[in-house]
């Protein structure tokens, strides 16, 4: 069986999603730290929601990269 070429458009889309997730995770860490320092606990909830968004984006980005390498289409 011959090796299959990688879908480069989908690969770059996955890398872009991972880069966005990195920025979102830094934002979440900043929000959580800022909220505990200034005792604004509504920002803690927002930071936790943002962290879950970052985790979702990480999984979506990795899944997109894996699909670009191993998908049959």
């Amino acid at each position: 069986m011959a090796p299959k070429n990688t879908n480069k458009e989908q690969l770059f889309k996955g890398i872009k999603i991972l880069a966005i997730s990195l920025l979102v995770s830094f934002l979440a860490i900043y929000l959580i730290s800022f909220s505990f320092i200034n005792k604004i606990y509504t920002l803690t909830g927002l930071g936790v929601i943002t962290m879950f968004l970052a985790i979702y984006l990480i999984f979506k980005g990795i899944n997109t990269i894996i699909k670009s390498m191993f998908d049959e289409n």
Side-chain angles (χ1 to χ4, degrees):
M1 186 185 285
K4 181 188 168 301
N5 291 334
T6 302
N7 186 353
K8 294 188 191 290
E9 292 175 7
Q10 198 171 13
L11 178 68
F12 289 133
K13 181 180 176 185
I15 291 172
K16 186 167 69 168
I17 291 172
L18 284 177
I20 291 170
S21 70
L22 182 66
L23 295 174
V24 171
S25 64
F26 280 131
L27 176 67
I29 292 169
Y30 176 75
L31 282 173
I32 292 171
S33 300
F34 183 78
S35 68
F36 280 125
I37 289 171
N38 293 322
K39 296 181 172 71
I40 306 171
Y41 296 112
T42 55
L43 284 180
T44 306
L46 184 63
V48 169
I49 291 170
T50 309
M51 185 56 75
F52 282 126
L53 176 66
I55 292 169
Y56 170 75
L57 287 173
I58 289 170
F59 283 119
K60 186 175 179 180
I62 291 173
N63 193 16
T64 304
I65 290 172
I66 297 296
K67 281 184 181 178
S68 75
M69 292 181 185
F70 297 113
D71 216 11
E72 293 292 326
N73 295 333

